[in-house]
Amino acid sequence: MTVTDTARESVSAALEQGKVESHLHPTGSYDVADHSPPTGREEIWRFTPLKRLKGLAADATFHASTTQVSLEVPEGVRVETLSGSEAQDLRGISGYKPSTLFGARVLAEVDETLLVDVPAEAEIAQPVVVDLVGTDADTTEAGHVVLRFGNFSKAVVVLRHTGSAALAQVVEVRVGDSAQVSVVSLQDWADDAVHLTHTEALVGRDAHYKHTAITFGGDLVRMDANVRYSGPGGTAEMLGLYFADEGQHIEHRLFADHNQPRTRSNVVYKGALQGTGAHTVWIGNVLIRKEAEGIETYEENRNLILTDGTLCDSVPNLEIETGEIEGAGHASATARFDDEQLFYLRSRGIEEKEAQRLVVHGFFNDLIRKIDVPAIEDKLVETVEAELAKNVTGELA
């Protein structure tokens, strides 16, 4: 028997006995007492500057909310704020079982839940827009949002975050069988905002779920986006776009848990960084469980460094418990401007600054077009232009 054969047998034996341990197999609990405040030494917190979170990940008081909510609700969709037992009945609707203290605290301590409910077989032509406008970055608060899509429904929901806030948030998404839904979370906060948020989605049989995370503003934004499946044949498309400026910390953590056979996930995140102290973190986690035969997954992260003094962390993780899969892979790249692209544009008479601007737009444009929400796409093109204008020195890398 070879060393390789021995290793395989050891892994197989451990799997059978359920003894394989990793951060992709967290033990969740709704009991707040089961969770400890993070220290920064944990795998899931080691990149996050905890001191800048204003205690949201630990013991900060969740005050009465000062965030203002406005809605654009097409006919056929129910949106309401529930409290008491009605809100409690929605906790965990996505299968979410908190593995962090802040997640457990949100479900236990926040009385109200904002529910967006799309009935079965409804086809909603216009996006449901939920505007969350912060008014006070010194008031720590928390929120719980539930997006429920019935079987065979089709809809788009946009969660738009602006203003100043210190917000801990849990968003739960329940996608019914054969539904086709898109959720866009836009973080366009003011410079002083702190946002710690977790999105958990449960995708039904033969359903298609697209989640798009867009982050530009805020002092510190950390978003976890998880997806699991309640039946075979489900597809998750997870897109992300972010742009970090001087001093900003933007962190996106993805987890695709393939717990059902013949499921799919595709992850594409792109980011740009400029200015001293700009820091982005992308963690792409994929778990293919033993029972998830015939699945296919791919994750990709690309980062464009525009100036010196930035820091970019990109860590893809793939854990496979069965060899009976269609395909699994990942790609990660962090680079400065492509000299060949710049040379091509300069050789055709385009000035260097304009050539650099065109390269950045080209870097993002293919991803922007995948969002498939025209109003959001147009706004993003404008926002990218505004971000580039912040680089007043013109000293792009």
PDB file of all heavy atoms in Angstrom, residues 18 60 77 83 113 117 141-142 151-152 191 196 223 265 267 288 298 333 336-337 343 372:
ATOM      1  N   GLY A  18     -17.368  11.059  10.894  1.00  0.00           N
ATOM      2  CA  GLY A  18     -17.751  12.445  11.135  1.00  0.00           C
ATOM      3  C   GLY A  18     -16.731  13.232  11.909  1.00  0.00           C
ATOM      4  O   GLY A  18     -17.053  14.150  12.654  1.00  0.00           O
ATOM      5  N   ALA A  60     -21.660  45.243  21.909  1.00  0.00           N
ATOM      6  CA  ALA A  60     -22.239  46.572  21.739  1.00  0.00           C
ATOM      7  C   ALA A  60     -23.741  46.533  21.997  1.00  0.00           C
ATOM      8  O   ALA A  60     -24.434  45.574  21.630  1.00  0.00           O
ATOM      9  CB  ALA A  60     -21.975  47.089  20.317  1.00  0.00           C
ATOM     10  N   VAL A  77     -46.539  42.241  -4.369  1.00  0.00           N
ATOM     11  CA  VAL A  77     -45.524  41.933  -3.362  1.00  0.00           C
ATOM     12  C   VAL A  77     -45.959  42.514  -2.021  1.00  0.00           C
ATOM     13  O   VAL A  77     -46.453  43.645  -1.955  1.00  0.00           O
ATOM     14  CB  VAL A  77     -44.151  42.508  -3.751  1.00  0.00           C
ATOM     15  CG1 VAL A  77     -43.112  42.200  -2.677  1.00  0.00           C
ATOM     16  CG2 VAL A  77     -43.698  41.948  -5.091  1.00  0.00           C
ATOM     17  N   SER A  83     -43.351  42.042  14.271  1.00  0.00           N
ATOM     18  CA  SER A  83     -42.733  42.016  15.593  1.00  0.00           C
ATOM     19  C   SER A  83     -43.335  40.871  16.395  1.00  0.00           C
ATOM     20  O   SER A  83     -44.270  40.197  15.961  1.00  0.00           O
ATOM     21  CB  SER A  83     -42.943  43.353  16.320  1.00  0.00           C
ATOM     22  OG  SER A  83     -44.330  43.619  16.480  1.00  0.00           O
ATOM     23  N   THR A 113     -38.765  42.319  12.399  1.00  0.00           N
ATOM     24  CA  THR A 113     -38.244  41.739  11.163  1.00  0.00           C
ATOM     25  C   THR A 113     -38.910  42.416   9.979  1.00  0.00           C
ATOM     26  O   THR A 113     -40.147  42.531   9.933  1.00  0.00           O
ATOM     27  CB  THR A 113     -38.519  40.225  11.099  1.00  0.00           C
ATOM     28  OG1 THR A 113     -37.765  39.563  12.099  1.00  0.00           O
ATOM     29  CG2 THR A 113     -38.137  39.652   9.740  1.00  0.00           C
ATOM     30  N   ASP A 117     -42.203  39.594   0.894  1.00  0.00           N
ATOM     31  CA  ASP A 117     -42.850  38.317   0.594  1.00  0.00           C
ATOM     32  C   ASP A 117     -43.378  38.320  -0.838  1.00  0.00           C
ATOM     33  O   ASP A 117     -44.273  39.106  -1.187  1.00  0.00           O
ATOM     34  CB  ASP A 117     -43.996  38.094   1.582  1.00  0.00           C
ATOM     35  CG  ASP A 117     -44.412  36.642   1.672  1.00  0.00           C
ATOM     36  OD1 ASP A 117     -43.682  35.775   1.148  1.00  0.00           O
ATOM     37  OD2 ASP A 117     -45.464  36.357   2.277  1.00  0.00           O
ATOM     38  N   GLU A 141     -26.704  49.668  16.223  1.00  0.00           N
ATOM     39  CA  GLU A 141     -28.033  49.082  16.086  1.00  0.00           C
ATOM     40  C   GLU A 141     -27.950  47.790  15.291  1.00  0.00           C
ATOM     41  O   GLU A 141     -26.892  47.435  14.753  1.00  0.00           O
ATOM     42  CB  GLU A 141     -28.983  50.060  15.404  1.00  0.00           C
ATOM     43  CG  GLU A 141     -28.541  50.488  14.014  1.00  0.00           C
ATOM     44  CD  GLU A 141     -29.498  51.502  13.388  1.00  0.00           C
ATOM     45  OE1 GLU A 141     -30.482  51.060  12.754  1.00  0.00           O
ATOM     46  OE2 GLU A 141     -29.258  52.714  13.525  1.00  0.00           O
ATOM     47  N   ALA A 142     -29.068  47.075  15.205  1.00  0.00           N
ATOM     48  CA  ALA A 142     -29.095  45.800  14.499  1.00  0.00           C
ATOM     49  C   ALA A 142     -30.426  45.642  13.781  1.00  0.00           C
ATOM     50  O   ALA A 142     -31.434  46.239  14.177  1.00  0.00           O
ATOM     51  CB  ALA A 142     -28.878  44.640  15.469  1.00  0.00           C
ATOM     52  N   ASN A 151     -42.675  29.284  -4.561  1.00  0.00           N
ATOM     53  CA  ASN A 151     -42.364  28.371  -5.657  1.00  0.00           C
ATOM     54  C   ASN A 151     -42.753  28.987  -7.003  1.00  0.00           C
ATOM     55  O   ASN A 151     -43.808  29.609  -7.139  1.00  0.00           O
ATOM     56  CB  ASN A 151     -43.116  27.052  -5.479  1.00  0.00           C
ATOM     57  CG  ASN A 151     -42.685  26.288  -4.236  1.00  0.00           C
ATOM     58  OD1 ASN A 151     -41.643  26.586  -3.649  1.00  0.00           O
ATOM     59  ND2 ASN A 151     -43.477  25.318  -3.825  1.00  0.00           N
ATOM     60  N   PHE A 152     -41.881  28.836  -7.987  1.00  0.00           N
ATOM     61  CA  PHE A 152     -42.105  29.280  -9.371  1.00  0.00           C
ATOM     62  C   PHE A 152     -42.226  30.802  -9.505  1.00  0.00           C
ATOM     63  O   PHE A 152     -42.680  31.305 -10.528  1.00  0.00           O
ATOM     64  CB  PHE A 152     -43.359  28.610  -9.967  1.00  0.00           C
ATOM     65  CG  PHE A 152     -43.264  27.117 -10.062  1.00  0.00           C
ATOM     66  CD1 PHE A 152     -43.799  26.316  -9.062  1.00  0.00           C
ATOM     67  CD2 PHE A 152     -42.639  26.507 -11.134  1.00  0.00           C
ATOM     68  CE1 PHE A 152     -43.708  24.934  -9.140  1.00  0.00           C
ATOM     69  CE2 PHE A 152     -42.542  25.126 -11.221  1.00  0.00           C
ATOM     70  CZ  PHE A 152     -43.073  24.330 -10.220  1.00  0.00           C
ATOM     71  N   ASP A 191     -18.727  57.952   4.572  1.00  0.00           N
ATOM     72  CA  ASP A 191     -17.365  57.546   4.939  1.00  0.00           C
ATOM     73  C   ASP A 191     -17.231  57.045   6.379  1.00  0.00           C
ATOM     74  O   ASP A 191     -16.273  56.330   6.690  1.00  0.00           O
ATOM     75  CB  ASP A 191     -16.391  58.713   4.728  1.00  0.00           C
ATOM     76  CG  ASP A 191     -16.206  59.054   3.261  1.00  0.00           C
ATOM     77  OD1 ASP A 191     -16.525  58.199   2.408  1.00  0.00           O
ATOM     78  OD2 ASP A 191     -15.742  60.171   2.975  1.00  0.00           O
ATOM     79  N   LEU A 196     -21.725  45.421   9.510  1.00  0.00           N
ATOM     80  CA  LEU A 196     -21.384  44.014   9.695  1.00  0.00           C
ATOM     81  C   LEU A 196     -22.637  43.222   9.352  1.00  0.00           C
ATOM     82  O   LEU A 196     -23.642  43.289  10.060  1.00  0.00           O
ATOM     83  CB  LEU A 196     -20.965  43.761  11.153  1.00  0.00           C
ATOM     84  CG  LEU A 196     -20.633  42.328  11.555  1.00  0.00           C
ATOM     85  CD1 LEU A 196     -19.452  41.783  10.757  1.00  0.00           C
ATOM     86  CD2 LEU A 196     -20.345  42.260  13.056  1.00  0.00           C
ATOM     87  N   MET A 223     -19.184  41.734   4.765  1.00  0.00           N
ATOM     88  CA  MET A 223     -20.383  41.016   4.354  1.00  0.00           C
ATOM     89  C   MET A 223     -20.081  39.543   4.168  1.00  0.00           C
ATOM     90  O   MET A 223     -19.201  39.172   3.392  1.00  0.00           O
ATOM     91  CB  MET A 223     -20.950  41.602   3.050  1.00  0.00           C
ATOM     92  CG  MET A 223     -22.050  40.747   2.422  1.00  0.00           C
ATOM     93  SD  MET A 223     -22.714  41.434   0.902  1.00  0.00           S
ATOM     94  CE  MET A 223     -23.823  42.657   1.582  1.00  0.00           C
ATOM     95  N   SER A 265     -22.927  26.279  -8.407  1.00  0.00           N
ATOM     96  CA  SER A 265     -22.603  27.612  -7.883  1.00  0.00           C
ATOM     97  C   SER A 265     -21.525  28.218  -8.752  1.00  0.00           C
ATOM     98  O   SER A 265     -20.599  27.527  -9.186  1.00  0.00           O
ATOM     99  CB  SER A 265     -22.142  27.547  -6.422  1.00  0.00           C
ATOM    100  OG  SER A 265     -20.924  26.836  -6.288  1.00  0.00           O
ATOM    101  N   VAL A 267     -19.208  31.863  -8.759  1.00  0.00           N
ATOM    102  CA  VAL A 267     -18.857  33.067  -8.003  1.00  0.00           C
ATOM    103  C   VAL A 267     -17.896  33.913  -8.826  1.00  0.00           C
ATOM    104  O   VAL A 267     -16.862  33.413  -9.284  1.00  0.00           O
ATOM    105  CB  VAL A 267     -18.203  32.706  -6.655  1.00  0.00           C
ATOM    106  CG1 VAL A 267     -17.768  33.966  -5.916  1.00  0.00           C
ATOM    107  CG2 VAL A 267     -19.140  31.866  -5.798  1.00  0.00           C
ATOM    108  N   ILE A 288     -18.114  20.771  -0.683  1.00  0.00           N
ATOM    109  CA  ILE A 288     -18.850  19.770  -1.448  1.00  0.00           C
ATOM    110  C   ILE A 288     -18.998  18.547  -0.544  1.00  0.00           C
ATOM    111  O   ILE A 288     -18.040  17.815  -0.314  1.00  0.00           O
ATOM    112  CB  ILE A 288     -18.124  19.403  -2.752  1.00  0.00           C
ATOM    113  CG1 ILE A 288     -17.885  20.664  -3.596  1.00  0.00           C
ATOM    114  CG2 ILE A 288     -18.927  18.380  -3.550  1.00  0.00           C
ATOM    115  CD1 ILE A 288     -17.002  20.433  -4.800  1.00  0.00           C
ATOM    116  N   TYR A 298     -17.532  26.898  -9.433  1.00  0.00           N
ATOM    117  CA  TYR A 298     -16.331  27.648  -9.818  1.00  0.00           C
ATOM    118  C   TYR A 298     -16.389  29.003  -9.136  1.00  0.00           C
ATOM    119  O   TYR A 298     -17.456  29.640  -9.070  1.00  0.00           O
ATOM    120  CB  TYR A 298     -16.246  27.831 -11.330  1.00  0.00           C
ATOM    121  CG  TYR A 298     -14.900  28.369 -11.775  1.00  0.00           C
ATOM    122  CD1 TYR A 298     -13.804  27.524 -11.899  1.00  0.00           C
ATOM    123  CD2 TYR A 298     -14.725  29.726 -12.045  1.00  0.00           C
ATOM    124  CE1 TYR A 298     -12.563  28.005 -12.289  1.00  0.00           C
ATOM    125  CE2 TYR A 298     -13.490  30.214 -12.431  1.00  0.00           C
ATOM    126  CZ  TYR A 298     -12.414  29.351 -12.557  1.00  0.00           C
ATOM    127  OH  TYR A 298     -11.179  29.836 -12.931  1.00  0.00           O
ATOM    128  N   ALA A 333      -6.586  36.486  -8.691  1.00  0.00           N
ATOM    129  CA  ALA A 333      -5.488  37.273  -9.247  1.00  0.00           C
ATOM    130  C   ALA A 333      -5.558  38.698  -8.719  1.00  0.00           C
ATOM    131  O   ALA A 333      -6.640  39.280  -8.599  1.00  0.00           O
ATOM    132  CB  ALA A 333      -5.536  37.286 -10.773  1.00  0.00           C
ATOM    133  N   ARG A 336      -1.542  45.036 -11.096  1.00  0.00           N
ATOM    134  CA  ARG A 336      -1.634  46.432 -11.497  1.00  0.00           C
ATOM    135  C   ARG A 336      -2.169  46.497 -12.928  1.00  0.00           C
ATOM    136  O   ARG A 336      -2.614  45.495 -13.478  1.00  0.00           O
ATOM    137  CB  ARG A 336      -0.248  47.088 -11.400  1.00  0.00           C
ATOM    138  CG  ARG A 336       0.319  47.093  -9.979  1.00  0.00           C
ATOM    139  CD  ARG A 336       1.721  47.682  -9.957  1.00  0.00           C
ATOM    140  NE  ARG A 336       2.300  47.620  -8.620  1.00  0.00           N
ATOM    141  CZ  ARG A 336       2.172  48.567  -7.710  1.00  0.00           C
ATOM    142  NH1 ARG A 336       1.477  49.656  -8.006  1.00  0.00           N
ATOM    143  NH2 ARG A 336       2.714  48.449  -6.519  1.00  0.00           N
ATOM    144  N   PHE A 337      -2.116  47.677 -13.523  1.00  0.00           N
ATOM    145  CA  PHE A 337      -2.602  47.831 -14.888  1.00  0.00           C
ATOM    146  C   PHE A 337      -1.863  46.900 -15.842  1.00  0.00           C
ATOM    147  O   PHE A 337      -0.670  46.629 -15.683  1.00  0.00           O
ATOM    148  CB  PHE A 337      -2.405  49.273 -15.372  1.00  0.00           C
ATOM    149  CG  PHE A 337      -3.460  50.215 -14.879  1.00  0.00           C
ATOM    150  CD1 PHE A 337      -3.187  51.135 -13.890  1.00  0.00           C
ATOM    151  CD2 PHE A 337      -4.740  50.182 -15.407  1.00  0.00           C
ATOM    152  CE1 PHE A 337      -4.148  52.009 -13.441  1.00  0.00           C
ATOM    153  CE2 PHE A 337      -5.717  51.053 -14.972  1.00  0.00           C
ATOM    154  CZ  PHE A 337      -5.423  51.964 -13.992  1.00  0.00           C
ATOM    155  N   PHE A 343      -0.490  50.237 -23.507  1.00  0.00           N
ATOM    156  CA  PHE A 343       0.315  50.525 -24.701  1.00  0.00           C
ATOM    157  C   PHE A 343      -0.573  50.571 -25.943  1.00  0.00           C
ATOM    158  O   PHE A 343      -0.408  51.453 -26.801  1.00  0.00           O
ATOM    159  CB  PHE A 343       1.399  49.460 -24.876  1.00  0.00           C
ATOM    160  CG  PHE A 343       2.223  49.654 -26.122  1.00  0.00           C
ATOM    161  CD1 PHE A 343       3.243  50.596 -26.167  1.00  0.00           C
ATOM    162  CD2 PHE A 343       1.962  48.905 -27.266  1.00  0.00           C
ATOM    163  CE1 PHE A 343       3.982  50.791 -27.322  1.00  0.00           C
ATOM    164  CE2 PHE A 343       2.692  49.093 -28.430  1.00  0.00           C
ATOM    165  CZ  PHE A 343       3.718  50.039 -28.452  1.00  0.00           C
ATOM    166  N   ASP A 372     -28.090  42.849 -14.464  1.00  0.00           N
ATOM    167  CA  ASP A 372     -29.377  42.810 -15.159  1.00  0.00           C
ATOM    168  C   ASP A 372     -30.463  43.630 -14.465  1.00  0.00           C
ATOM    169  O   ASP A 372     -31.641  43.276 -14.471  1.00  0.00           O
ATOM    170  CB  ASP A 372     -29.841  41.354 -15.335  1.00  0.00           C
ATOM    171  CG  ASP A 372     -30.850  41.204 -16.470  1.00  0.00           C
ATOM    172  OD1 ASP A 372     -30.823  42.031 -17.395  1.00  0.00           O
ATOM    173  OD2 ASP A 372     -31.666  40.255 -16.425  1.00  0.00           O
TER     174      ASP A 372
END
